[in-house]
Amino acid sequence: MHHPLRILVVGCGNMGASHAQAYHQLDGFEICGLVARGNSNQELNEKMGTDYPLFSDYFEALSITKPDAVCIATYPDTHEEYALKALEAGCHIFIEKPLADTVAGSERIVEAAKEANKKVVVGYILRHHPSWMKFTEIAQGLGQPLVMRMNLNQQSHGRMWDVHRNLMKSLSPIVDCGVHYIDVMCQMTGSKPVRVSAIGARLTDDIPEDNYNYGQLQITFENGSVGWYEAGWGPMVSETAFFVKDVFGPKGSASIVAKEASGAGKSDSVDDHTKTESIRIHHATIDANNEFVKKDEWVEMKDEPGHQELCDREQAYFLKAIQEDIDLASHLEDAVNSLKVAFACDESVKTGKMVEL
């Protein structure tokens, strides 16, 4: 019989609130505190109808509550310091992506986790999504090399523009969001990225002078596969074709076709970012007259999990990793590698040069 793990939730915004709700309903966890600089932790208590202890200072909360685990869902520039302090205190960690705001920082977290013999799970939510798992599986059957085309532009406004501006104090959109899709591309190809190039544009004075709020990256893999990903944030971003998820190889193609989730006015909706709705599979086989032998197939993704259920699945995996002592070495290696690629793309934007990996 496992005792519930006492978990401290740090950051109560979009993702932190969802993770807290997952911990609240999972038998294996017991929330011992909610940490936020503003009043979002109080609002979260009210939303859940709970009375969890509230803190404004992470280090004080860590010292007082003495948790078994910490959920870090704060801005990326705090990740390294918070994670290292949690590991020093003997805690397991669930940490939102990216693992840190530098490659060296992410490597220090991984090394500290090994030394402390504690679990660190990074929030790669698409790895827990059955539709994305299916999409990746289909892509792996299209032959090699692959061509991968993906984006997630967000016409952010209201509170989401506040969130994105704060994120861009430390990271660009193609680093913050790109790690998800770089990770997917690496899974699809099963190959090593060898070079990247990227472009970017600073479309507003509301962000630091050395950052940009639109970026597109291109990756070349060892086996000849290529892929691109673009991400733009802000009130000036177009909502036309913001939801492209497409891959093709010698045997055909597969495309996520989310008619509803990709509808007008939904580009900055967190709930819609992970929806797929359907996958269209095209077969490239042709006959003697160059006509297609097979019709396109539609795989309808019925009853797919929503954003909260995906967070529930992530936290169930975190619990399982701790209770069953799952080896997370490859998980963390993948997290560091996708971050390395993303930062190489950042370097390419700022230098105007292709970067060899």
Side-chain angles (χ1 to χ4, degrees), residues 48-89:
M48 295 192 297
T50 53
D51 190 28
Y52 293 124
L54 303 181
F55 300 90
S56 59
D57 183 87
Y58 166 63
F59 303 105
E60 179 186 13
L62 189 64
S63 174
I64 291 173
T65 62
K66 294 180 171 51
D68 302 306
V70 174
C71 170
I72 300 172
T74 50
Y75 287 112
D77 57 357
T78 64
H79 284 192
E80 180 186 353
E81 184 182 17
Y82 285 10
L84 293 178
K85 199 70 178 177
L87 290 167
E88 187 182 304

Side-chain angles (χ1 to χ4, degrees), residues 99-159:
L99 182 52
D101 65 345
T102 65
V103 173
S106 68
E107 291 173 334
R108 283 191 284 270
I109 293 172
V110 172
E111 188 57 37
K114 288 179 185 175
E115 290 179 7
N117 193 29
K118 295 297 176 180
K119 304 301 179 187
V120 175
V121 171
V122 187
Y124 281 98
I125 199 167
L126 298 182
R127 287 191 169 206
H128 302 272
H129 196 310
S131 302
W132 274 89
M133 292 160 69
K134 183 66 175 177
F135 184 46
T136 300
E137 178 190 325
I138 293 168
Q140 291 168 341
L142 296 175
Q144 298 284 349
L146 292 175
V147 174
M148 296 158 290
R149 308 163 61 244
M150 301 183 190
N151 74 358
L152 185 57
N153 294 315
Q154 298 181 55
Q155 192 182 84
S156 47
H157 58 98
R159 188 180 62 82

Side-chain angles (χ1 to χ4, degrees), residues 2 26 68 90 93 95 124 134 148 177 190 198 202 205 208 231 245 253 266 275 283 285 300 302 307 316 327 330:
H2 294 286
L26 278 169
D68 302 306
I93 297 171
I95 187 165
Y124 281 98
K134 183 66 175 177
M148 296 158 290
C177 283
R202 183 173 180 266
D205 291 333
K245 307 290 185 290
S253 63
K266 296 188 176 183
K275 289 183 179 176
H283 301 278
T285 308
E300 299 298 334
K302 297 177 180 177
H307 177 73
D327 186 352
S330 63

Side-chain angles (χ1 to χ4, degrees), residues 70-257:
V70 174
C71 170
I72 300 172
T74 50
Y75 287 112
D77 57 357
T78 64
H79 284 192
E80 180 186 353
E81 184 182 17
Y82 285 10
L84 293 178
K85 199 70 178 177
L87 290 167
E88 187 182 304
C91 303
H92 301 288
I93 297 171
F94 178 89
I95 187 165
E96 265 306 324
K97 59 79 198 164
L99 182 52
D101 65 345
T102 65
V103 173
S106 68
E107 291 173 334
R108 283 191 284 270
I109 293 172
V110 172
E111 188 57 37
K114 288 179 185 175
E115 290 179 7
N117 193 29
K118 295 297 176 180
K119 304 301 179 187
V120 175
V121 171
V122 187
Y124 281 98
I125 199 167
L126 298 182
R127 287 191 169 206
H128 302 272
H129 196 310
S131 302
W132 274 89
M133 292 160 69
K134 183 66 175 177
F135 184 46
T136 300
E137 178 190 325
I138 293 168
Q140 291 168 341
L142 296 175
Q144 298 284 349
L146 292 175
V147 174
M148 296 158 290
R149 308 163 61 244
M150 301 183 190
N151 74 358
L152 185 57
N153 294 315
Q154 298 181 55
Q155 192 182 84
S156 47
H157 58 98
R159 188 180 62 82
M160 280 310 299
W161 183 224
D162 289 331
V163 170
H164 285 151
R165 277 185 301 202
N166 283 328
L167 280 168
M168 286 185 284
K169 289 177 182 176
S170 56
L171 293 178
S172 68
I174 61 170
V175 173
D176 183 79
C177 283
V179 289
H180 275 309
Y181 299 95
I182 292 167
D183 184 54
V184 168
M185 290 182 192
C186 290
Q187 291 177 66
M188 286 179 167
T189 62
S191 184
K192 179 184 176 184
V194 292
R195 74 182 65 87
V196 299
S197 61
I199 55 174
R202 183 173 180 266
L203 301 173
T204 174
D205 291 333
D206 283 354
I207 63 174
E209 289 186 9
D210 63 346
N211 208 348
Y212 52 96
N213 65 309
Y214 170 83
Q216 187 204 55
L217 60 86
Q218 304 89 37
I219 309 176
T220 301
F221 290 82
E222 203 167 46
N223 70 351
S225 295
V226 294
W228 63 256
Y229 173 75
E230 72 168 4
W233 294 340
M236 73 294 293
V237 172
S238 168
E239 286 204 319
T240 301
F242 77 84
F243 197 87
V244 177
K245 307 290 185 290
D246 190 64
V247 56
F248 52 94
K251 297 179 182 179
S253 63
S255 311
I256 289 178
V257 185

